[in-house]
């Protein structure tokens, strides 16, 4: 639980993988917080005033002070609540910490960015290209898991670490990929380490508490795909 007079509010939106990674960090640390669901079609004054630059979720408000951008928020939680929860998310060793930050940045740039485009493109050709980029990124990430885990259970080794949290926010979307596109994103035949990692991660209490229902993710993704297809046909 948050100690002393700590007050934590998380401004988010249920479908956001970025919000989910913050929720994972909070749960892993055992911190209590107020979850504020944001309507991104009609953004609240709280969101606009807390994140005036990007006007996007997630925003963590700690004792009235806003922190923005999911990776920064996760690092803030880890550094602010030292000694809270089972272990530190970021490695203590400076080199290992740099490696973890590298792979976290890689996930957002090379995997999450094309993943987002898959649901928002206007043509099948654009979707196919985004899917190819995702598959290529997953294959590289398989090597990243091998490097970081050193043969242990998670990117963080024996315990869940920073990279696990960053990637873990997207687990429900990875599972939805098969229903949406007929292909497993983390395929045991092609990326066995990541496939096994996803199953282990999904069994964590924190993951069970915050990961989105896969069926709901599928329905929301289908809605986005149909919406963008209709928009393209009208142009």
């Amino acid at each position: 639980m948050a100690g002393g007079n700590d007050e934590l509010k998380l401004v988010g939106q249920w479908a956001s993988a970025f919000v989910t990674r913050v929720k994972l960090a909070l749960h892993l640390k055992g911190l209590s917080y107020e979850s504020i669901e944001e309507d991104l079609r009609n953004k609240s004054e709280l969101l606009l005033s807390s994140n005036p630059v990007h006007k996007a979720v997630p925003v963590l408000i700690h004792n009235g002070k806003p922190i923005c951008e999911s990776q920064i928020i996760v690092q803030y939680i880890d550094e602010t609540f030292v000694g809270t929860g089972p272990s530190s998310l970021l490695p203590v060793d400076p080199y290992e910490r740099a490696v973890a930050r590298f792979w976290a940045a890689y996930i957002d740039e090379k995997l999450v960015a094309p993943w987002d485009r898959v649901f928002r493109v206007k043509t099948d050709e654009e979707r196919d290209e985004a899917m190819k980029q995702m598959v290529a990124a997953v294959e590289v990430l398989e090597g990243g898991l091998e490097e970081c885990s050193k043969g242990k259970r998670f990117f963080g080794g024996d315990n869940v670490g920073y990279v696990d949290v960053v990637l873990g926010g997207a687990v429900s979307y990875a599972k939805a990929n098969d229903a949406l596109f007929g292909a497993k994103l983390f395929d045991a035949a092609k990326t066995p380490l990541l496939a096994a990692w996803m199953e282990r991660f999904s069994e964590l209490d924190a993951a069970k508490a915050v990961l989105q229902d896969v069926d709901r993710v599928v329905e929301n993704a289908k809605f986005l795909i149909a919406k963008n297809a209709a928009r393209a046909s009208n142009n």
Side-chain angles (χ1 to χ4, degrees):
M1 299 296 175
N5 297 319
D6 286 307
E7 180 186 60
L8 293 168
K9 297 180 180 180
L10 177 60
V11 183
Q13 199 267 344
W14 75 269
S16 169
F18 300 108
V19 173
T20 302
R21 64 174 56 152
V22 176
K23 289 181 178 179
L24 284 166
L26 289 166
H27 278 261
L28 286 165
K29 286 284 187 178
L31 298 168
S32 58
Y33 64 98
E34 178 185 355
S35 181
I36 301 172
E37 184 73 9
E38 183 69 28
D39 181 358
L40 297 179
R41 294 169 296 182
N42 184 25
K43 296 179 180 180
S44 69
E45 181 58 34
L46 177 62
L47 175 62
L48 296 177
S49 61
S50 299
N51 190 358
V53 177
H54 297 300
K55 303 177 177 63
V57 295
V59 176
L60 181 70
I61 303 174
H62 181 206
N63 294 336
K65 297 179 180 179
I67 306 96
C68 306
E69 300 296 315
S70 64
Q71 288 199 29
I72 294 172
I73 295 171
V74 172
Q75 292 182 49
Y76 177 86
I77 291 168
D78 196 40
E79 294 168 354
T80 301
F81 298 97
V82 176
T84 303
S87 63
S88 174
L89 296 174
L90 279 159
V92 175
D93 178 79
Y95 175 75
E96 292 181 358
R97 184 179 289 237
V99 170
R101 284 175 168 152
F102 169 84
W103 285 113
Y106 182 88
I107 288 167
D108 274 1
E109 180 182 353
K110 300 298 184 180
L111 180 59
V112 175
W115 210 340
D116 183 64
R117 288 197 297 273
V118 164
F119 303 117
R120 301 181 187 280
V121 295
K122 296 179 180 180
T123 67
D124 290 339
E125 290 77 12
E126 290 175 328
R127 181 171 294 109
D128 289 343
E129 179 57 32
M131 289 291 290
K132 288 178 183 177
Q133 293 175 12
M134 287 167 53
V135 170
V138 168
E139 291 175 354
V140 174
L141 191 58
E142 176 85 351
L145 175 54
E146 184 175 18
E147 174 189 358
C148 293
S149 68
K150 299 178 177 64
K152 297 179 180 177
R153 303 175 71 236
F154 299 104
F155 281 91
D158 288 325
N159 300 311
V160 171
Y162 178 60
V163 183
D164 297 288
V165 171
V166 170
L167 183 60
V171 161
S172 291
Y173 283 88
K175 291 184 175 181
N177 204 74
D178 194 11
L180 287 166
F181 307 115
K184 294 183 182 297
L185 191 60
F186 298 160
D187 189 342
K190 298 177 181 177
T191 53
L193 296 179
L194 280 170
W197 169 89
M198 184 169 68
E199 295 309 312
R200 284 193 294 271
F201 190 89
S202 299
E203 291 303 311
L204 295 171
D205 289 341
K208 290 178 180 179
V210 306
L211 289 181
Q212 301 97 328
D213 177 75
V214 175
D215 290 338
R216 190 180 181 192
V217 168
V218 170
E219 290 306 310
N220 185 63
K222 287 180 177 178
F223 171 78
L224 287 174
I225 292 170
K227 179 181 177 180
N228 283 285
R231 184 182 300 166
S233 65
N234 292 329
N235 289 339

